[in-house]
Amino acid sequence: MKKSISKVLLAAVTTAVMLSSCSKTPDESRYIPKTAGIVIELNAKQLTNKLVTNGITMDKLFEATQSKDTANEVMKVWKDAENSGIDMQSHFFASVVFQGQPAEHKSYVSLTASLKDADKFEAYLKKNIANFSLKTQSDFKYIWEEKQHAVIGWNKSAVIYISAVDPSNLERYAPGGSSTPDYPTDEPITDSAVAEPAAIAVPAANVLIDTDAEIKGWVAEVDHLFHLKKEESAGSIDAFAKLLKESADAGVFVNPEAIYNSGQLTMIPANVKKLMEGSFYTGTINFENGKILFNANTFLGKELAAIYKKYGKKEIDLDMLKKYPSENVTGFISYAFDFRMIGDIVKATGMDGMVNIMMGKSGLSMDDVLNAFEGQLTYVASDFAITKKESPYYPGEFTEKPDAKWIFSLKVGNKDAFNKLMTSPMLKEVFTREGDHYAVVNPMAAATMPAMSITEKFVTLGSDSVLLQQYLAGNGHIKLPDGIESKIKGTMMGGYVDLEKVTSVIPEDKVDGDEKVVVKKAKDLLKDVTFTSKADGSDVQHAEAVLTFKNKDQNSLVQLINLGTETVKIMQAKKAKDRAYEDSVFAGSAPVDSVVAPN
C-alpha cells in the first residue's frame, strides 16, 4: 500500500498516460502560477474513454501485466486510490516552479487534481499517511507529510501537493526515479547553503524551529496557489491559455523566462534574457485511430519575432528533394533556414565580437560563413538494409551492420563569401579549386571521405559516386508515398521516415524463440512518420508530426498498450522459465544424505 499522497497523485498521473471534451479551460489550471517554468497536463477522462471504448479497463490491464502473486495486491491499491475522493477522470497537472537559488530550496513540484469527495480524501489520508495530523488554514485543510517534506492541501473541489525539488536534478522526480530530496528525509531543510558536518550534533530545539519554519513556508505557498489572482496564474499567459483550449490528451508548457529569472541559470547573459523575453513553448499529443498526432508551437517574443520578420518566410526547395533518383526511399529531411538569422541572434546577445575573435586566425568573420550558404539543405536516404561487411582489419571476419544509400545537399548563398570560405587558411590546405569545382588536396584523405561535389551552387555529398552523379544529373525522380509532397510543400521544414521499411530488416532469427512473437508484432505495428514546421505569422512557429500505424481502425494508444501487455506476458513467462530451470539445477546439485552400512 502506498503510504504517501505524493505517490498516489504520481500514480494517478502515470495511470492516465498508461490508460490513456470540449474547449473549456480545466478548472484545475487556475492553481498553476505564472512563475511555473514547466507544466504538464494529462486529460485523464479523454484518455480513459479512448481505452474503455476499445475494451481496456484497469482490471484487465492489471490482470494482463501483473503476476498471479501481485495482481490482487495491485488491484487493492488501485481500488483504494479510486475510493480516495480524487477524481481519477479529471485533468491532472504537474508543474515545476523555479524560485530563488538552488541552495535556498525554494523551487518545488506541484501536483494538482480535482476532488469528488473531500471527506473521502481526508479519510484516505488518515488511513495511509503516518503521523497524520490535520490542520486548517483559512478555507482549506492540510497535512505535513514528513517523508517527502511536502504539504498536501485540499478544499472541497481540489487538492494541491507541493514539495521542494532540486532543479538541477529533475530526472529524479520522473516516474520510476527516486523522489527523495538531496537533504536527508528524516531531517528538515535548513536555510544554510552549507550542510552541518555530520559529526556536529544539531540541538533538538533548532531542528524543531527549522521544521516549523519549513512547514509554515510551504503552507503559505499552498495558500497562495489556492487564492491566485487571475493575473498571477499561468492562464494569464496567452500561450498557456491557447494550449488548454486545444483539449489534447496530454500537453506541455515551457516558460524559459520563469526559469532563468528565478536565479537558476545565473550564467545566462542579460542580453540573452532580453532576447528570449516573451517566448514560450507548447506541445500536445493526441492518440487517434491509426495514428498519434504531435503538435508544437514556439511563441516568439518581441525581439525574436522582429529577427524572423526581417528575413521573411522561407520555404524548402522541393527540387533538391525531387531529383533524388530512387523509388525505394527510406526517409528524408528538407530544411529552409536563412543562416543570417543566426548572425542577428548572436549579435543581439552581444557575443558576435567574441565569435569574430575566435575566427580571426581563419581570416573569416561570422558574416562570411553565414553569407556563404543560403540555408537550403536536404538529406535523403534509400535502400535501407542490414548487410554483411568484411572487417578491413581482420580479413575473413564479417559483421552485420545497417546500410543505406544517401545524399546530402546544401545550397550555396553568396558566391564571393563562399569562395572566401573555401580559400581561407582554415580550408585551403584541405580543398583546392579545379575549374568550376573544389577537390580534396590529399588523395589518401579523399579515399576516406564520402563522394562529393563542391561548386559555387551546391555542396553535395553522397554514399557513392554513382548515386552522386545520378543526383547531380537530375535525370531521376524520387517516388514518395501519396500525400507526402503536398504535406511538406510550402513549409520551412519537412521530413518523412518509412518505419515499415526500417523495421522490416530486423532479423527475427537473432531473437530468442519466446520473444519472436513480440518482435513480429512490433514490426507489424508502425507504418511511417511525417513531420513539418512552418511559420504561422512572424511570431509563432508551428510544428507537427504524425506517427502512422498499420492498423488504421484501432486507437493508437490501445495498440501500444496491447503490445506492452504482450511484452510483459512474454517477459514474465521467460522469468518463470528461468526460475524453474535454476530451481531444477539447484535441486539436482543438492547434497544427498547417505546411509553407511555396518561392517
Side-chain angles (χ1 to χ4, degrees):
M1 182 68 67
K2 302 296 184 184
K3 297 298 183 180
S4 165
I5 186 60
S6 65
K7 294 185 178 180
V8 171
L9 289 176
L10 283 172
V13 171
T14 305
T15 300
V17 176
M18 291 175 59
L19 290 180
S20 351
S21 154
C22 61
S23 60
K24 179 185 176 183
T25 300
D27 291 338
E28 302 87 352
S29 65
R30 63 178 177 167
Y31 305 116
I32 310 298
K34 67 188 304 181
T35 52
I38 303 171
V39 181
I40 298 174
E41 177 209 6
L42 293 175
N43 188 334
K45 180 179 180 179
Q46 197 161 283
L47 287 163
T48 304
N49 286 344
K50 289 182 178 182
L51 294 180
V52 171
T53 301
N54 287 270
I56 294 182
T57 62
M58 285 299 298
D59 292 26
K60 291 183 179 180
L61 184 61
F62 286 142
E63 288 176 4
T65 59
Q66 299 295 318
S67 65
K68 294 181 180 179
D69 296 335
T70 61
N72 290 337
E73 185 60 29
V74 172
M75 281 302 300
K76 288 178 181 178
V77 173
W78 172 249
K79 292 299 182 184
D80 200 23
E82 275 192 318
N83 294 321
S84 66
I86 296 176
D87 186 353
M88 291 302 201
Q89 296 209 355
S90 65
H91 288 260
F92 290 89
F93 286 91
S95 310
V96 183
V97 181
F98 298 87
Q99 298 183 146
Q101 299 298 325
E104 296 179 293
H105 298 290
K106 291 184 178 180
S107 296
Y108 63 88
V109 162
S110 171
L111 303 176
T112 310
S114 289
L115 285 182
K116 293 191 298 185
D117 191 321
D119 292 334
K120 278 189 177 181
F121 183 67
E122 182 178 327
Y124 177 84
L125 293 179
K126 189 173 184 180
K127 176 182 177 183
N128 291 284
I129 300 296
N131 301 319
F132 177 88
S133 179
L134 183 64
K135 301 290 177 63
T136 300
Q137 177 89 3
S138 62
D139 56 353
F140 69 92
K141 297 178 180 180
Y142 74 90
I143 65 166
W144 172 251
E145 211 284 297
E146 291 183 27
K147 283 190 176 182
Q148 302 296 324
H149 282 257
V151 171
I152 306 163
W154 68 96
N155 56 25
K156 292 183 179 180
S157 59
V159 54
I160 299 175
Y161 163 96
I162 65 173
S163 179
V165 298
D166 177 4
S168 63
N169 193 18
L170 289 177
E171 65 271 13
R172 69 165 60 239
Y173 306 101
S178 170
S179 60
T180 307
D182 289 339
Y183 46 87
T185 57
D186 57 348
E187 291 187 13
I189 305 174
T190 63
D191 291 331
S192 173
V194 181
E196 291 285 343
I200 301 177
V202 180
N206 290 343
V207 173
L208 181 60
I209 292 174
D210 288 340
T211 300
D212 288 343
E214 180 188 0
I215 296 174
K216 184 177 180 181
W218 291 123
V219 170
E221 188 63 30
V222 172
D223 195 347
H224 173 63
L225 295 182
F226 269 126
H227 302 93
L228 284 176
K229 298 178 182 178
K230 185 176 181 180
E231 63 272 16
E232 295 176 324
S233 70
S236 64
I237 301 173
D238 186 53
F240 185 72
K242 288 181 177 179
L243 172 68
L244 296 180
K245 289 182 179 180
E246 291 188 39
S247 189
D249 291 341
V252 63
F253 168 77
V254 179
N255 182 354
E257 195 174 352
I259 298 173
Y260 58 65
N261 279 347
S262 69
Q264 301 296 329
L265 304 175
T266 56
M267 299 300 291
I268 293 183
N271 287 341
V272 175
K273 293 181 179 180
K274 184 179 179 182
L275 180 66
M276 294 296 296
E277 187 176 307
S279 295
F280 306 96
Y281 308 97
T282 65
T284 62
I285 180 172
N286 281 287
F287 299 93
E288 306 295 342
N289 282 358
K291 59 187 175 182
I292 301 178
L293 306 178
F294 303 90
N295 283 278
N297 287 304
T298 299
F299 295 84
L300 303 177
K302 183 178 180 180
E303 292 208 10
L304 271 179
I307 293 175
Y308 272 81
K309 185 177 181 180
K310 176 181 176 181
Y311 293 99
K313 182 181 178 182
K314 200 171 182 68
E315 299 177 358
I316 58 176
D317 185 347
L318 281 178
D319 289 337
M320 294 173 66
L321 169 67
K322 291 166 69 173
K323 66 180 184 178
Y324 185 82
S326 177
E327 296 186 354
N328 188 27
V329 174
T330 306
F332 71 86
I333 181 169
S334 295
Y335 200 71
F337 181 82
D338 197 319
F339 287 170
R340 293 175 299 173
M341 198 180 301
I342 299 175
D344 279 23
I345 291 174
V346 173
K347 290 172 184 177
T349 64
M351 299 176 66
D352 53 314
M354 182 182 300
V355 173
N356 284 323
I357 290 174
M358 293 172 63
M359 298 182 65
K361 292 183 180 180
S362 68
L364 300 167
S365 68
M366 178 181 67
D367 288 338
D368 290 332
V369 176
L370 297 177
N371 288 332
F373 302 100
E374 187 177 321
Q376 289 277 2
L377 62 88
T378 290
Y379 174 83
V380 193
S382 65
D383 302 281
F384 181 76
I386 302 296
T387 60
K388 286 186 177 181
K389 291 189 176 182
E390 187 174 10
S391 171
Y393 308 106
Y394 303 99
E397 289 192 10
F398 292 85
T399 56
E400 292 186 346
K401 293 183 179 180
D403 191 23
K405 294 182 178 181
W406 57 269
I407 287 289
F408 171 82
S409 187
L410 175 64
K411 184 178 285 190
V412 171
N414 183 281
K415 293 181 180 179
D416 293 335
F418 177 73
N419 287 322
K420 184 178 180 180
L421 171 64
M422 295 302 296
T423 58
S424 68
M426 181 172 63
L427 295 178
K428 70 178 183 179
E429 300 299 327
V430 181
F431 298 101
T432 183
R433 183 156 188 164
E434 296 180 355
D436 63 349
H437 68 280
Y438 289 89
V440 179
V441 173
N442 189 326
M444 294 183 64
T448 64
M449 295 180 180
M452 66 177 64
S453 169
I454 303 176
T455 69
E456 291 181 342
K457 294 183 178 180
F458 292 95
V459 175
T460 309
L461 308 178
S463 57
D464 60 81
S465 58
V466 174
L467 178 66
L468 177 63
Q469 294 307 316
Q470 291 175 341
Y471 177 80
L472 295 176
N475 296 326
H477 188 82
I478 196 170
K479 183 176 182 181
L480 297 173
D482 293 340
I484 297 299
E485 184 177 335
S486 61
K487 182 174 289 188
I488 65 172
K489 185 177 181 180
T491 65
M492 63 180 292
M493 187 272 288
Y496 166 81
V497 178
D498 190 326
L499 298 174
E500 189 172 5
K501 289 180 180 177
V502 173
T503 57
S504 66
V505 302
I506 298 175
E508 294 182 27
D509 59 333
K510 304 293 183 182
V511 182
D512 292 341
D514 293 339
E515 299 172 356
K516 282 185 178 180
V517 175
V518 173
V519 172
K520 188 178 185 309
K521 287 188 176 182
K523 290 172 66 174
D524 292 337
L525 185 68
L526 302 177
K527 185 176 185 297
D528 56 36
V529 60
T530 307
F531 44 93
T532 59
S533 177
K534 61 182 179 180
D536 291 348
S538 60
D539 59 345
V540 180
Q541 300 291 323
H542 178 74
E544 65 179 44
V546 181
L547 180 61
T548 306
F549 290 61
K550 292 182 182 179
N551 183 349
K552 298 180 180 181
D553 300 323
Q554 190 176 44
N555 185 274
S556 54
L557 184 59
V558 174
Q559 294 186 54
L560 290 174
I561 288 181
N562 285 338
L563 177 62
T565 54
E566 185 71 22
T567 302
V568 171
K569 288 179 181 179
I570 295 295
M571 293 174 62
Q572 288 178 344
K574 187 175 181 180
K575 286 182 180 179
K577 184 177 179 180
D578 291 341
R579 283 196 301 267
Y581 174 75
E582 291 174 0
D583 291 342
S584 66
V585 171
F586 286 125
S589 61
V592 179
D593 293 336
S594 58
V595 179
V596 180
N599 291 331

